[in-house]
Amino acid sequence: MKKIIPLIHLTVGYLFLLCYSIIYNTSSALVYQTHNIFTIPIYCFICYILFHGWKIYPSLNKNKWIFPVIGCIYSSFLIFGTSIRNYNFVSFVSIITWLSIFTFSYVMTAALLFIYHRLLPQLYKICTNGTNSKIESLYARVNFFHFWIALIVFWIPYLLACYPGIASYDANYQLSQVGETLNLTAHHPIIHTLLLGGCVQFGRLYFNSANIGMLIYSLIQIIIISGIMAYCLHFLKKHNVSAILCFISFIFFAFMPFNGLFAICATKDSIFGALFLLLIILQSEMNLNSSSFFNSKKYTILLILVIFLLLTFRNNMLYALLLSVIFMLFAYRKYWKQILCICFIPILLLQLYQTLLYPKLNVAPGNSREAYSVIMQQFANVYNNCTIDSDDKKLLLELMDDECWQEYEPRKSDAIKNHFKTTIFTDNIETYLKLWIKLGIQNPTCYLNAFFNLTYAYWYPNDILPDQTTYRKYIEIYDCSDISFDSKIPSLFKILKKIGMEASYQNYPVISVIFTPAFYIWILLFVFAVNFYNQKFNFIKLLIFPATIFLTLLLGPVALLRYLYPIIICVPFLIPINTKF
């Protein structure tokens, strides 16, 4: 067997290169072709990883199976994602598809084992060993306010460049609800609509300028987000995380462009993301010092308040919380009573908030159609690309007419969701769920392709933006209504707009990867694998909320960076704090 293993590695390495060239051999992608001298060093490198990676596997403990599982997940993401990106569908009957998944899984697993066994220990030593005395002395003197002021200072150029702030995404709709009279709808979070609209209206009334109002909002949001990120860094320092790791986290917060842009962008996801980071920080304190945490009224009240605010800023947080309760009760079963209070009191407060505030403000109910985005897309894909009988088609035509179904865009549900008759669907929910199951059984590949198209940007790291098939940008940078850009640093504004609207970062190899949303999901999967293998289940508890939020995003109308942003900004906290578990 030992003589056969090298031959297996050499064969799989060659098949990997062959499958890679076939999968990426399209006119829309820059790839290494089969006839290319660079395939020789690449093949040698792949074989090196295979020999050294799989050599480690037999000596690992009983949890070693987690690495092949994650390797298979990574490979499926790559193969399915590439097919979706290039052709809008995956051919599940193609031998090349499954051969590629096998060879990619084999190589990916070896790479994971190599990183875990060879690279990770070296990185850990570098990051946790003490630096020189001057840096340690400086680190010892830095406090929360230093971090806070530094982040604000580094983000001010973003505000000056995009002065008075970025009123994109849903801002225009929200601002239309707040004027001389209120015309609120629950489709967008009321708390955010009132904050944004209130600031802009204040500017209009007292300064005769919507721009001044937008500036006030931007400054408030910068203070909130930078304050929570500063607390994150302070928390790491308080728990004796190394200066190098804390410095890397600071660099990420201060200099990654999407942090500075979202800090001045009038989308609910910005403040929600910061609050979500605070939730993970508090949960980390809960894990590190469980007894004192659960005996502290201060921490309990703060955690309840944070969860309540999260519930008011995004509707999907409620579903994530309800799903998390199951895992939280198991993970913290010793404190199950406290967990029930921490999880359900915010829900009761949310009900009270909506019951008391909404009638007084005459808030119109929102449409729940976004929750059915996946079902809509799967119905539409079957309607347009499969054969269905007349009775089933009649039921679908009751939800929207033929022309509307034909407006189907695979990458987002916005094209058809506004035509979706939610009342008919909900009033006949049993009938339509039976139809959904029936059509799914008859057309499983159509259902899978519809789901993959809608969500692939969350898990496929090679997504290309702007999306040529639909309107989908990296970060939307434009003004609206009577708010207009008046850049104080035009050259920087031009650079930032290219990053947001044209995804110009894609022109820079290696660096571009850290801009990709899916990259952070891959990191968290690897972090999970390493901690699962090492049986650090106390740390894995911190992944409950990111995992449940991610699951709710998979049911959303489109895959955008801003939706994944709350999970992304937790990564520079989760990795350093992992060293304390």
Side-chain angles (χ1 to χ4, degrees):
M1 186 66 181
K2 288 183 179 180
K3 294 181 180 179
I4 299 175
I5 288 175
L7 182 60
I8 293 173
H9 293 336
L10 292 170
T11 304
V12 173
Y14 183 80
L15 288 173
F16 172 85
L17 273 182
L18 187 63
C19 291
Y20 183 88
S21 64
I22 292 172
I23 290 168
Y24 284 91
N25 188 12
T26 66
S27 58
S28 63
L30 291 173
V31 297
Y32 291 111
Q33 305 295 320
T34 52
H35 185 60
N36 190 317
I37 196 168
F38 286 109
T39 58
I40 297 173
I42 291 171
Y43 178 64
C44 292
F45 176 73
I46 291 168
C47 290
Y48 177 84
I49 294 295
L50 288 173
F51 276 87
H52 287 270
W54 281 107
K55 185 180 179 181
I56 299 161
Y57 191 73
S59 63
L60 300 179
N61 69 32
K62 64 179 181 179
N63 291 328
K64 61 187 177 183
W65 58 265
I66 193 65
F67 293 108
V69 168
I70 298 299
C72 185
I73 291 171
Y74 282 170
S75 302
S76 299
F77 285 170
L78 281 175
I79 304 307
F80 292 159
T82 301
S83 188
I84 290 293
R85 186 190 70 182
N86 293 338
Y87 311 111
N88 284 344
F89 72 92
V90 176
S91 177
F92 294 100
V93 296
S94 169
I95 295 175
I96 293 297
T97 298
W98 298 110
L99 179 62
S100 299
I101 288 176
F102 168 74
T103 56
F104 274 56
S105 297
Y106 196 83
V107 174
M108 281 287 182
T109 302
L112 290 172
L113 292 166
F114 184 83
I115 291 169
Y116 170 72
H117 194 261
R118 295 289 182 88
L119 299 184
L120 211 57
Q122 298 303 316
L123 289 173
Y124 182 81
K125 285 181 182 179
I126 293 170
C127 293
T128 56
N129 286 348
T131 53
N132 66 59
S133 57
K134 288 184 179 180
I135 294 176
E136 289 296 334
S137 176
L138 176 65
Y139 184 54
R141 294 197 300 271
V142 172
N143 60 35
F144 165 77
F145 290 102
H146 293 131
F147 287 130
W148 196 3
I149 292 167
L151 287 173
I152 292 173
V153 168
F154 283 117
W155 287 351
I156 288 299
Y158 288 88
L159 179 58
L160 294 175
C162 302
Y163 183 91
I166 304 170
S168 58
Y169 295 111
D170 299 319
N172 196 35
Y173 302 106
Q174 291 177 270
L175 289 172
S176 68
Q177 298 175 30
V178 182
E180 294 181 5
T181 58
L182 293 177
N183 187 26
L184 299 171
T185 170
H187 182 68
H188 300 294
I190 298 303
I191 188 172
H192 183 254
T193 300
L194 290 174
L195 175 61
L196 172 61
C199 288
V200 173
Q201 190 63 11
F202 179 83
R204 288 171 181 152
L205 291 175
Y206 294 97
F207 297 93
N208 195 31
S209 171
N211 273 18
I212 295 295
M214 184 64 206
L215 175 63
I216 293 170
Y217 172 84
S218 297
L219 290 171
I220 291 172
Q221 187 163 275
I222 285 175
I223 290 168
I224 292 171
I225 297 173
S226 61
I228 292 174
M229 289 182 177
Y231 178 69
C232 168
L233 297 167
H234 171 73
F235 184 92
L236 293 175
K237 181 177 179 290
K238 185 180 77 171
H239 286 275
N240 299 314
V241 170
S242 74
I244 292 177
L245 285 174
C246 195
F247 178 71
I248 292 171
S249 295
F250 172 78
I251 292 297
F252 180 90
F253 288 142
F255 293 104
M256 274 304 292
F258 53 60
N259 288 320
L261 288 170
F262 278 126
I264 59 169
C265 184
T267 172
K268 54 188 174 286
D269 305 281
S270 298
I271 295 178
F272 178 85
L275 289 170
F276 190 78
L277 173 60
L278 183 56
L279 169 66
I280 302 304
I281 295 169
L282 291 172
Q283 191 187 355
S284 182
E285 180 67 32
M286 182 196 298
N287 290 6
L288 291 169
N289 303 291
S290 298
S291 181
S292 60
F293 184 94
F294 285 109
N295 289 326
S296 169
K297 289 183 179 179
K298 180 187 76 173
Y299 277 126
T300 302
I301 292 171
L302 181 58
L303 187 53
I304 288 171
L305 178 62
V306 169
I307 294 175
F308 167 68
L309 288 172
L310 285 166
L311 290 170
T312 62
F313 267 89
R314 281 208 67 89
N315 294 330
N316 65 318
M317 182 62 195
L318 177 59
Y319 305 113
L321 179 61
L322 292 173
L323 185 57
S324 298
V325 169
I326 301 168
F327 300 100
M328 294 284 284
L329 286 172
F330 175 77
Y332 302 96
R333 49 193 175 277
K334 184 179 177 181
Y335 304 99
W336 67 271
K337 291 181 181 178
Q338 292 94 322
I339 291 297
L340 282 176
C341 290
I342 288 169
C343 291
F344 284 105
I345 288 178
I347 296 175
L348 293 175
L349 290 174
L350 178 68
Q351 292 297 315
L352 189 65
Y353 161 81
Q354 293 176 342
T355 303
L356 295 179
L357 187 65
Y358 282 24
K360 287 190 176 183
L361 297 178
N362 295 316
V363 178
N367 196 309
S368 61
R369 60 191 169 213
E370 280 196 2
Y372 309 118
S373 291
V374 171
I375 293 176
M376 267 188 267
Q377 293 294 94
Q378 290 173 333
F379 276 160
N381 198 22
V382 169
Y383 185 92
N384 287 288
N385 299 302
C386 303
T387 302
I388 53 177
D389 62 47
S390 57
D391 291 337
D392 294 341
K393 188 173 184 178
K394 184 179 178 182
L395 283 171
L396 292 177
L397 288 172
E398 289 179 7
L399 295 176
M400 66 180 84
D401 60 35
D402 179 74
E403 290 182 0
C404 296
W405 282 117
Q406 291 184 29
E407 291 179 16
Y408 167 64
E409 292 180 8
R411 305 283 170 81
K412 66 176 183 181
S413 68
D414 292 23
I416 61 173
K417 77 177 184 184
N418 292 331
H419 306 295
F420 188 74
K421 297 173 184 175
T422 312
T423 305
I424 293 176
F425 182 85
T426 53
D427 288 348
N428 302 277
I429 188 73
E430 186 178 344
T431 301
Y432 281 105
L433 285 180
K434 286 180 179 178
L435 176 63
W436 178 64
I437 293 169
K438 176 186 175 183
L439 293 178
I441 293 171
Q442 292 174 350
N443 309 280
T445 57
C446 271
Y447 268 38
L448 286 173
N449 280 319
F451 179 73
F452 289 162
N453 267 288
L454 192 61
T455 63
Y456 91 113
Y458 286 140
W459 43 265
Y460 179 62
N462 298 337
D463 181 28
I464 295 176
L465 293 172
D467 194 332
Q468 300 301 314
T469 67
T470 187
Y471 185 84
R472 193 168 58 89
K473 308 291 185 183
Y474 186 62
I475 299 174
E476 295 180 18
I477 301 177
Y478 52 80
D479 44 23
C480 73
S481 187
D482 51 344
I483 300 171
S484 56
F485 287 124
D486 182 19
S487 178
K488 310 303 179 185
I489 314 177
S491 57
L492 180 58
F493 176 73
K494 187 177 179 181
I495 293 170
L496 294 175
K497 193 165 186 179
K498 280 190 174 182
I499 291 173
M501 300 297 281
E502 301 175 21
S504 59
Y505 61 86
Q506 294 173 149
N507 297 321
Y508 303 94
V510 182
I511 295 172
S512 63
V513 175
I514 63 174
F515 286 78
T516 307
F519 172 67
Y520 297 92
I521 299 302
W522 281 49
I523 288 178
L524 289 179
L525 281 171
F526 180 68
V527 169
F528 168 78
V530 169
N531 283 277
F532 181 87
Y533 172 76
N534 290 317
Q535 298 183 346
K536 291 185 178 181
F537 300 115
N538 200 31
F539 173 82
I540 290 176
K541 295 174 187 177
L542 294 181
L543 302 179
I544 292 174
F545 280 112
T548 54
I549 278 287
F550 182 74
L551 290 175
T552 65
L553 294 181
L554 295 178
L555 302 178
V558 61
L560 297 175
L561 169 66
R562 70 179 177 112
Y563 294 144
L564 203 60
Y565 184 64
I567 297 174
I568 291 172
I569 58 172
C570 290
V571 173
F573 170 75
L574 288 168
I575 292 176
I577 202 65
N578 193 10
T579 61
K580 298 290 116 181
F581 284 84

